[in-house]
mmCIF file of all heavy atoms in Angstrom:
data_model
loop_
_atom_site.group_PDB
_atom_site.id
_atom_site.type_symbol
_atom_site.label_atom_id
_atom_site.label_comp_id
_atom_site.label_asym_id
_atom_site.label_seq_id
_atom_site.Cartn_x
_atom_site.Cartn_y
_atom_site.Cartn_z
ATOM 1 N N GLU J 22 -16.820 49.316 37.744
ATOM 2 C CA GLU J 22 -17.991 50.150 37.474
ATOM 3 C C GLU J 22 -19.144 49.835 38.424
ATOM 4 O O GLU J 22 -19.957 50.709 38.733
ATOM 5 C CB GLU J 22 -18.463 49.949 36.032
ATOM 6 C CG GLU J 22 -17.532 50.533 34.972
ATOM 7 C CD GLU J 22 -16.359 49.622 34.649
ATOM 8 O OE1 GLU J 22 -16.221 48.585 35.332
ATOM 9 O OE2 GLU J 22 -15.596 49.950 33.739
ATOM 10 N N LEU J 23 -19.218 48.615 38.901
ATOM 11 C CA LEU J 23 -20.332 48.216 39.761
ATOM 12 C C LEU J 23 -20.382 48.989 41.071
ATOM 13 O O LEU J 23 -21.458 49.234 41.611
ATOM 14 C CB LEU J 23 -20.237 46.712 40.067
ATOM 15 C CG LEU J 23 -20.640 45.756 38.950
ATOM 16 C CD1 LEU J 23 -20.288 44.326 39.345
ATOM 17 C CD2 LEU J 23 -22.132 45.869 38.676
ATOM 18 N N ILE J 24 -19.215 49.348 41.602
ATOM 19 C CA ILE J 24 -19.175 49.981 42.927
ATOM 20 C C ILE J 24 -18.756 51.445 42.837
ATOM 21 O O ILE J 24 -18.278 52.016 43.812
ATOM 22 C CB ILE J 24 -18.217 49.213 43.861
ATOM 23 C CG1 ILE J 24 -16.814 49.149 43.259
ATOM 24 C CG2 ILE J 24 -18.740 47.822 44.140
ATOM 25 C CD1 ILE J 24 -15.782 48.571 44.216
ATOM 26 N N ALA J 25 -18.946 52.054 41.690
ATOM 27 C CA ALA J 25 -18.555 53.458 41.521
ATOM 28 C C ALA J 25 -19.315 54.372 42.471
ATOM 29 O O ALA J 25 -18.789 55.402 42.921
ATOM 30 C CB ALA J 25 -18.773 53.884 40.070
ATOM 31 N N ASP J 26 -20.563 54.017 42.805
ATOM 32 C CA ASP J 26 -21.377 54.882 43.664
ATOM 33 C C ASP J 26 -21.371 54.439 45.120
ATOM 34 O O ASP J 26 -22.151 54.949 45.932
ATOM 35 C CB ASP J 26 -22.818 54.910 43.157
ATOM 36 C CG ASP J 26 -23.451 53.526 43.122
ATOM 37 O OD1 ASP J 26 -22.705 52.527 43.148
ATOM 38 O OD2 ASP J 26 -24.710 53.440 43.054
ATOM 39 N N ALA J 27 -20.502 53.509 45.486
ATOM 40 C CA ALA J 27 -20.433 53.036 46.876
ATOM 41 C C ALA J 27 -19.822 54.113 47.767
ATOM 42 O O ALA J 27 -19.044 54.964 47.326
ATOM 43 C CB ALA J 27 -19.611 51.752 46.959
ATOM 44 N N SER J 28 -20.162 54.071 49.045
ATOM 45 C CA SER J 28 -19.632 55.035 50.009
ATOM 46 C C SER J 28 -18.116 54.871 50.151
ATOM 47 O O SER J 28 -17.566 53.781 49.967
ATOM 48 C CB SER J 28 -20.301 54.825 51.371
ATOM 49 O OG SER J 28 -19.630 55.541 52.390
ATOM 50 N N TRP J 29 -17.450 55.956 50.508
ATOM 51 C CA TRP J 29 -15.998 55.911 50.665
ATOM 52 C C TRP J 29 -15.590 54.957 51.793
ATOM 53 O O TRP J 29 -14.477 54.413 51.776
ATOM 54 C CB TRP J 29 -15.446 57.311 50.958
ATOM 55 C CG TRP J 29 -15.807 57.850 52.326
ATOM 56 C CD1 TRP J 29 -16.883 58.608 52.661
ATOM 57 C CD2 TRP J 29 -15.069 57.629 53.546
ATOM 58 N NE1 TRP J 29 -16.880 58.886 54.000
ATOM 59 C CE2 TRP J 29 -15.773 58.306 54.573
ATOM 60 C CE3 TRP J 29 -13.903 56.957 53.862
ATOM 61 C CZ2 TRP J 29 -15.331 58.312 55.895
ATOM 62 C CZ3 TRP J 29 -13.460 56.947 55.180
ATOM 63 C CH2 TRP J 29 -14.164 57.624 56.187
ATOM 64 N N VAL J 30 -16.503 54.724 52.749
ATOM 65 C CA VAL J 30 -16.187 53.801 53.842
ATOM 66 C C VAL J 30 -16.049 52.380 53.301
ATOM 67 O O VAL J 30 -15.110 51.652 53.653
ATOM 68 C CB VAL J 30 -17.269 53.856 54.938
ATOM 69 C CG1 VAL J 30 -16.943 52.868 56.063
ATOM 70 C CG2 VAL J 30 -17.396 55.265 55.488
ATOM 71 N N PHE J 31 -16.970 51.967 52.449
ATOM 72 C CA PHE J 31 -16.863 50.656 51.819
ATOM 73 C C PHE J 31 -15.584 50.562 50.991
ATOM 74 O O PHE J 31 -14.871 49.545 51.042
ATOM 75 C CB PHE J 31 -18.080 50.396 50.924
ATOM 76 C CG PHE J 31 -19.343 50.095 51.665
ATOM 77 C CD1 PHE J 31 -20.356 51.038 51.741
ATOM 78 C CD2 PHE J 31 -19.535 48.866 52.284
ATOM 79 C CE1 PHE J 31 -21.530 50.760 52.420
ATOM 80 C CE2 PHE J 31 -20.707 48.579 52.959
ATOM 81 C CZ PHE J 31 -21.705 49.527 53.033
ATOM 82 N N LYS J 32 -15.317 51.603 50.233
ATOM 83 C CA LYS J 32 -14.137 51.570 49.361
ATOM 84 C C LYS J 32 -12.842 51.537 50.172
ATOM 85 O O LYS J 32 -11.893 50.820 49.815
ATOM 86 C CB LYS J 32 -14.149 52.794 48.440
ATOM 87 C CG LYS J 32 -15.282 52.781 47.418
ATOM 88 C CD LYS J 32 -15.233 54.013 46.521
ATOM 89 C CE LYS J 32 -16.354 53.995 45.501
ATOM 90 N NZ LYS J 32 -16.342 55.198 44.623
ATOM 91 N N ALA J 33 -12.795 52.300 51.262
ATOM 92 C CA ALA J 33 -11.592 52.286 52.101
ATOM 93 C C ALA J 33 -11.406 50.917 52.744
ATOM 94 O O ALA J 33 -10.280 50.415 52.853
ATOM 95 C CB ALA J 33 -11.705 53.374 53.181
ATOM 96 N N HIS J 34 -12.512 50.309 53.175
ATOM 97 C CA HIS J 34 -12.458 48.972 53.775
ATOM 98 C C HIS J 34 -11.939 47.952 52.770
ATOM 99 O O HIS J 34 -11.112 47.083 53.099
ATOM 100 C CB HIS J 34 -13.852 48.588 54.262
ATOM 101 C CG HIS J 34 -13.925 47.290 54.983
ATOM 102 N ND1 HIS J 34 -13.174 47.002 56.103
ATOM 103 C CD2 HIS J 34 -14.681 46.171 54.749
ATOM 104 C CE1 HIS J 34 -13.444 45.770 56.529
ATOM 105 N NE2 HIS J 34 -14.357 45.250 55.724
ATOM 106 N N MET J 35 -12.393 48.045 51.543
ATOM 107 C CA MET J 35 -11.961 47.119 50.500
ATOM 108 C C MET J 35 -10.501 47.356 50.118
ATOM 109 O O MET J 35 -9.725 46.403 49.968
ATOM 110 C CB MET J 35 -12.869 47.276 49.274
ATOM 111 C CG MET J 35 -14.314 46.868 49.536
ATOM 112 S SD MET J 35 -15.455 47.488 48.280
ATOM 113 C CE MET J 35 -14.906 46.566 46.850
ATOM 114 N N PHE J 36 -10.114 48.610 49.980
ATOM 115 C CA PHE J 36 -8.732 48.921 49.615
ATOM 116 C C PHE J 36 -7.758 48.456 50.688
ATOM 117 O O PHE J 36 -6.713 47.870 50.386
ATOM 118 C CB PHE J 36 -8.579 50.422 49.384
ATOM 119 C CG PHE J 36 -7.159 50.848 49.160
ATOM 120 C CD1 PHE J 36 -6.521 50.606 47.953
ATOM 121 C CD2 PHE J 36 -6.449 51.494 50.163
ATOM 122 C CE1 PHE J 36 -5.202 50.987 47.749
ATOM 123 C CE2 PHE J 36 -5.135 51.876 49.974
ATOM 124 C CZ PHE J 36 -4.511 51.627 48.754
ATOM 125 N N LEU J 37 -8.088 48.708 51.941
ATOM 126 C CA LEU J 37 -7.206 48.300 53.026
ATOM 127 C C LEU J 37 -7.141 46.774 53.115
ATOM 128 O O LEU J 37 -6.070 46.217 53.397
ATOM 129 C CB LEU J 37 -7.693 48.885 54.349
ATOM 130 C CG LEU J 37 -6.765 48.702 55.559
ATOM 131 C CD1 LEU J 37 -5.367 49.219 55.248
ATOM 132 C CD2 LEU J 37 -7.338 49.422 56.777
ATOM 133 N N GLY J 38 -8.256 46.108 52.866
ATOM 134 C CA GLY J 38 -8.243 44.649 52.863
ATOM 135 C C GLY J 38 -7.307 44.108 51.793
ATOM 136 O O GLY J 38 -6.539 43.162 52.036
ATOM 137 N N MET J 39 -7.348 44.685 50.594
ATOM 138 C CA MET J 39 -6.446 44.251 49.522
ATOM 139 C C MET J 39 -4.995 44.571 49.868
ATOM 140 O O MET J 39 -4.080 43.786 49.568
ATOM 141 C CB MET J 39 -6.848 44.918 48.202
ATOM 142 C CG MET J 39 -8.178 44.435 47.651
ATOM 143 S SD MET J 39 -8.576 45.144 46.033
ATOM 144 C CE MET J 39 -9.018 46.834 46.495
ATOM 145 N N SER J 40 -4.767 45.684 50.531
ATOM 146 C CA SER J 40 -3.410 46.069 50.916
ATOM 147 C C SER J 40 -2.830 45.116 51.964
ATOM 148 O O SER J 40 -1.620 44.871 51.980
ATOM 149 C CB SER J 40 -3.401 47.507 51.445
ATOM 150 O OG SER J 40 -3.838 48.413 50.458
ATOM 151 N N ILE J 41 -3.675 44.582 52.833
ATOM 152 C CA ILE J 41 -3.210 43.591 53.808
ATOM 153 C C ILE J 41 -2.753 42.329 53.088
ATOM 154 O O ILE J 41 -1.783 41.684 53.492
ATOM 155 C CB ILE J 41 -4.313 43.296 54.831
ATOM 156 C CG1 ILE J 41 -4.527 44.533 55.731
ATOM 157 C CG2 ILE J 41 -3.966 42.080 55.692
ATOM 158 C CD1 ILE J 41 -5.673 44.404 56.706
ATOM 159 N N PHE J 42 -3.416 41.980 51.984
ATOM 160 C CA PHE J 42 -2.951 40.854 51.176
ATOM 161 C C PHE J 42 -1.583 41.152 50.574
ATOM 162 O O PHE J 42 -0.761 40.243 50.410
ATOM 163 C CB PHE J 42 -3.959 40.559 50.065
ATOM 164 C CG PHE J 42 -5.096 39.675 50.485
ATOM 165 C CD1 PHE J 42 -6.281 40.221 50.956
ATOM 166 C CD2 PHE J 42 -4.981 38.294 50.421
ATOM 167 C CE1 PHE J 42 -7.331 39.407 51.356
ATOM 168 C CE2 PHE J 42 -6.023 37.467 50.817
ATOM 169 C CZ PHE J 42 -7.203 38.030 51.285
ATOM 170 N N VAL J 43 -1.325 42.415 50.248
ATOM 171 C CA VAL J 43 -0.036 42.793 49.664
ATOM 172 C C VAL J 43 1.096 42.596 50.660
ATOM 173 O O VAL J 43 2.165 42.065 50.324
ATOM 174 C CB VAL J 43 -0.073 44.257 49.171
ATOM 175 C CG1 VAL J 43 1.321 44.734 48.776
ATOM 176 C CG2 VAL J 43 -1.026 44.396 47.989
ATOM 177 N N ILE J 44 0.897 43.008 51.912
ATOM 178 C CA ILE J 44 1.970 42.913 52.901
ATOM 179 C C ILE J 44 2.022 41.541 53.568
ATOM 180 O O ILE J 44 2.961 41.250 54.313
ATOM 181 C CB ILE J 44 1.821 44.001 53.981
ATOM 182 C CG1 ILE J 44 0.580 43.744 54.846
ATOM 183 C CG2 ILE J 44 1.765 45.390 53.354
ATOM 184 C CD1 ILE J 44 0.496 44.617 56.061
ATOM 185 N N PHE J 45 1.028 40.704 53.298
ATOM 186 C CA PHE J 45 0.927 39.387 53.930
ATOM 187 C C PHE J 45 2.241 38.585 53.871
ATOM 188 O O PHE J 45 2.713 38.092 54.901
ATOM 189 C CB PHE J 45 -0.208 38.606 53.272
ATOM 190 C CG PHE J 45 -0.475 37.251 53.858
ATOM 191 C CD1 PHE J 45 -1.506 37.063 54.769
ATOM 192 C CD2 PHE J 45 0.285 36.152 53.491
ATOM 193 C CE1 PHE J 45 -1.760 35.811 55.306
ATOM 194 C CE2 PHE J 45 0.042 34.897 54.027
ATOM 195 C CZ PHE J 45 -0.984 34.726 54.927
ATOM 196 N N PRO J 46 2.876 38.429 52.706
ATOM 197 C CA PRO J 46 4.075 37.584 52.640
ATOM 198 C C PRO J 46 5.270 38.145 53.391
ATOM 199 O O PRO J 46 6.240 37.411 53.630
ATOM 200 C CB PRO J 46 4.373 37.504 51.132
ATOM 201 C CG PRO J 46 3.131 37.959 50.446
ATOM 202 C CD PRO J 46 2.506 38.947 51.379
ATOM 203 N N PHE J 47 5.240 39.412 53.772
ATOM 204 C CA PHE J 47 6.393 40.058 54.393
ATOM 205 C C PHE J 47 6.228 40.233 55.904
ATOM 206 O O PHE J 47 7.036 40.897 56.539
ATOM 207 C CB PHE J 47 6.619 41.424 53.743
ATOM 208 C CG PHE J 47 6.588 41.372 52.241
ATOM 209 C CD1 PHE J 47 5.479 41.824 51.537
ATOM 210 C CD2 PHE J 47 7.658 40.838 51.531
ATOM 211 C CE1 PHE J 47 5.438 41.764 50.150
ATOM 212 C CE2 PHE J 47 7.626 40.775 50.146
ATOM 213 C CZ PHE J 47 6.513 41.239 49.451
ATOM 214 N N THR J 48 5.174 39.643 56.466
ATOM 215 C CA THR J 48 4.890 39.799 57.889
ATOM 216 C C THR J 48 4.685 38.432 58.526
ATOM 217 O O THR J 48 4.781 37.391 57.873
ATOM 218 C CB THR J 48 3.629 40.648 58.106
ATOM 219 O OG1 THR J 48 2.486 39.934 57.599
ATOM 220 C CG2 THR J 48 3.743 41.992 57.392
ATOM 221 N N ARG J 49 4.363 38.455 59.810
ATOM 222 C CA ARG J 49 4.094 37.221 60.543
ATOM 223 C C ARG J 49 2.797 36.557 60.109
ATOM 224 O O ARG J 49 2.502 35.430 60.529
ATOM 225 C CB ARG J 49 4.031 37.500 62.044
ATOM 226 C CG ARG J 49 2.902 38.447 62.430
ATOM 227 C CD ARG J 49 2.722 38.555 63.926
ATOM 228 N NE ARG J 49 3.917 39.026 64.596
ATOM 229 C CZ ARG J 49 4.185 38.792 65.871
ATOM 230 N NH1 ARG J 49 3.355 38.083 66.589
ATOM 231 N NH2 ARG J 49 5.271 39.276 66.430
ATOM 232 N N LEU J 50 2.006 37.219 59.277
ATOM 233 C CA LEU J 50 0.746 36.645 58.823
ATOM 234 C C LEU J 50 0.930 35.358 58.031
ATOM 235 O O LEU J 50 -0.026 34.585 57.876
ATOM 236 C CB LEU J 50 -0.022 37.661 57.967
ATOM 237 C CG LEU J 50 -0.739 38.795 58.699
ATOM 238 C CD1 LEU J 50 -1.366 39.756 57.703
ATOM 239 C CD2 LEU J 50 -1.788 38.260 59.656
ATOM 240 N N VAL J 51 2.141 35.109 57.544
ATOM 241 C CA VAL J 51 2.350 33.901 56.732
ATOM 242 C C VAL J 51 2.055 32.628 57.519
ATOM 243 O O VAL J 51 1.801 31.569 56.929
ATOM 244 C CB VAL J 51 3.788 33.840 56.176
ATOM 245 C CG1 VAL J 51 4.020 34.898 55.128
ATOM 246 C CG2 VAL J 51 4.806 33.949 57.297
ATOM 247 N N HIS J 52 2.085 32.709 58.863
ATOM 248 C CA HIS J 52 1.819 31.500 59.645
ATOM 249 C C HIS J 52 0.375 31.032 59.487
ATOM 250 O O HIS J 52 0.046 29.910 59.883
ATOM 251 C CB HIS J 52 2.142 31.734 61.127
ATOM 252 C CG HIS J 52 1.091 32.497 61.872
ATOM 253 N ND1 HIS J 52 0.977 33.866 61.806
ATOM 254 C CD2 HIS J 52 0.095 32.077 62.706
ATOM 255 C CE1 HIS J 52 -0.018 34.260 62.567
ATOM 256 N NE2 HIS J 52 -0.575 33.197 63.126
ATOM 257 N N VAL J 53 -0.473 31.879 58.881
ATOM 258 C CA VAL J 53 -1.848 31.461 58.612
ATOM 259 C C VAL J 53 -1.860 30.259 57.673
ATOM 260 O O VAL J 53 -2.674 29.340 57.822
ATOM 261 C CB VAL J 53 -2.653 32.631 58.007
ATOM 262 C CG1 VAL J 53 -4.049 32.170 57.610
ATOM 263 C CG2 VAL J 53 -2.738 33.781 59.002
ATOM 264 N N TRP J 54 -0.944 30.254 56.697
ATOM 265 C CA TRP J 54 -0.859 29.117 55.780
ATOM 266 C C TRP J 54 -0.614 27.818 56.537
ATOM 267 O O TRP J 54 -1.166 26.772 56.200
ATOM 268 C CB TRP J 54 0.269 29.335 54.771
ATOM 269 C CG TRP J 54 -0.021 30.303 53.677
ATOM 270 C CD1 TRP J 54 0.616 31.489 53.447
ATOM 271 C CD2 TRP J 54 -1.001 30.188 52.631
ATOM 272 N NE1 TRP J 54 0.090 32.123 52.337
ATOM 273 C CE2 TRP J 54 -0.893 31.344 51.824
ATOM 274 C CE3 TRP J 54 -1.952 29.230 52.312
ATOM 275 C CZ2 TRP J 54 -1.700 31.551 50.715
ATOM 276 C CZ3 TRP J 54 -2.764 29.435 51.197
ATOM 277 C CH2 TRP J 54 -2.634 30.579 50.419
ATOM 278 N N SER J 55 0.247 27.870 57.549
ATOM 279 C CA SER J 55 0.540 26.673 58.336
ATOM 280 C C SER J 55 -0.697 26.202 59.085
ATOM 281 O O SER J 55 -0.912 24.998 59.269
ATOM 282 C CB SER J 55 1.671 26.956 59.339
ATOM 283 O OG SER J 55 2.861 27.309 58.657
ATOM 284 N N GLY J 56 -1.520 27.163 59.542
ATOM 285 C CA GLY J 56 -2.763 26.780 60.204
ATOM 286 C C GLY J 56 -3.687 26.002 59.288
ATOM 287 O O GLY J 56 -4.272 24.983 59.676
ATOM 288 N N PHE J 57 -3.808 26.460 58.038
ATOM 289 C CA PHE J 57 -4.619 25.723 57.076
ATOM 290 C C PHE J 57 -3.970 24.384 56.729
ATOM 291 O O PHE J 57 -4.657 23.396 56.456
ATOM 292 C CB PHE J 57 -4.822 26.542 55.799
ATOM 293 C CG PHE J 57 -5.714 27.729 55.976
ATOM 294 C CD1 PHE J 57 -5.323 28.987 55.545
ATOM 295 C CD2 PHE J 57 -6.955 27.599 56.567
ATOM 296 C CE1 PHE J 57 -6.141 30.092 55.712
ATOM 297 C CE2 PHE J 57 -7.794 28.695 56.734
ATOM 298 C CZ PHE J 57 -7.388 29.945 56.300
ATOM 299 N N GLY J 58 -2.634 24.356 56.744
ATOM 300 C CA GLY J 58 -1.929 23.123 56.412
ATOM 301 C C GLY J 58 -2.164 22.017 57.416
ATOM 302 O O GLY J 58 -2.071 20.831 57.081
ATOM 303 N N THR J 59 -2.467 22.370 58.659
ATOM 304 C CA THR J 59 -2.696 21.346 59.678
ATOM 305 C C THR J 59 -3.955 20.527 59.407
ATOM 306 O O THR J 59 -4.125 19.451 59.983
ATOM 307 C CB THR J 59 -2.816 21.979 61.073
ATOM 308 O OG1 THR J 59 -3.886 22.947 61.068
ATOM 309 C CG2 THR J 59 -1.518 22.666 61.473
ATOM 310 N N LEU J 60 -4.833 21.023 58.533
ATOM 311 C CA LEU J 60 -6.028 20.252 58.185
ATOM 312 C C LEU J 60 -5.664 18.939 57.515
ATOM 313 O O LEU J 60 -6.450 17.986 57.509
ATOM 314 C CB LEU J 60 -6.935 21.081 57.267
ATOM 315 C CG LEU J 60 -7.506 22.379 57.859
ATOM 316 C CD1 LEU J 60 -8.302 23.133 56.808
ATOM 317 C CD2 LEU J 60 -8.381 22.079 59.067
ATOM 318 N N ALA J 61 -4.444 18.858 56.941
ATOM 319 C CA ALA J 61 -4.010 17.628 56.293
ATOM 320 C C ALA J 61 -3.849 16.484 57.288
ATOM 321 O O ALA J 61 -3.916 15.306 56.913
ATOM 322 C CB ALA J 61 -2.692 17.862 55.556
ATOM 323 N N TYR J 62 -3.654 16.826 58.563
ATOM 324 C CA TYR J 62 -3.488 15.785 59.564
ATOM 325 C C TYR J 62 -4.772 14.997 59.792
ATOM 326 O O TYR J 62 -4.743 13.890 60.330
ATOM 327 C CB TYR J 62 -3.015 16.395 60.893
ATOM 328 C CG TYR J 62 -1.561 16.733 60.899
ATOM 329 C CD1 TYR J 62 -1.112 17.989 60.495
ATOM 330 C CD2 TYR J 62 -0.611 15.802 61.300
ATOM 331 C CE1 TYR J 62 0.238 18.306 60.493
ATOM 332 C CE2 TYR J 62 0.741 16.099 61.304
ATOM 333 C CZ TYR J 62 1.158 17.364 60.900
ATOM 334 O OH TYR J 62 2.490 17.672 60.894
ATOM 335 N N VAL J 63 -5.914 15.561 59.387
ATOM 336 C CA VAL J 63 -7.182 14.853 59.573
ATOM 337 C C VAL J 63 -7.214 13.585 58.735
ATOM 338 O O VAL J 63 -7.747 12.542 59.154
ATOM 339 C CB VAL J 63 -8.365 15.778 59.202
ATOM 340 C CG1 VAL J 63 -9.682 15.023 59.294
ATOM 341 C CG2 VAL J 63 -8.382 17.001 60.105
ATOM 342 N N THR J 64 -6.647 13.652 57.536
ATOM 343 C CA THR J 64 -6.655 12.497 56.629
ATOM 344 C C THR J 64 -5.314 11.772 56.592
ATOM 345 O O THR J 64 -5.155 10.820 55.847
ATOM 346 C CB THR J 64 -7.002 12.965 55.203
ATOM 347 O OG1 THR J 64 -6.043 13.953 54.767
ATOM 348 C CG2 THR J 64 -8.395 13.576 55.159
#
């Protein structure tokens, strides 16, 4: 309800962002997790 009056550009940007999270596990984007995992080498 908070964003019911937002412009369609904002809504499309938000929807597409959520959709990228949906396809994330099925694409090469999963290597992002490994990038965050390398932070463990600091400690």
Side-chain angles (χ1 to χ4, degrees):
E22 290 82 354
L23 284 172
I24 57 172
D26 59 342
S28 168
W29 70 268
V30 179
F31 286 106
K32 293 181 180 179
H34 184 57
M35 295 163 66
F36 173 75
L37 188 54
M39 292 184 286
S40 299
I41 291 175
F42 275 92
V43 171
I44 68 170
F45 183 99
F47 312 104
T48 66
R49 63 172 59 204
L50 283 176
V51 291
H52 78 280
V53 175
W54 284 116
S55 298
F57 290 130
T59 58
L60 297 176
Y62 282 90
V63 176
T64 58

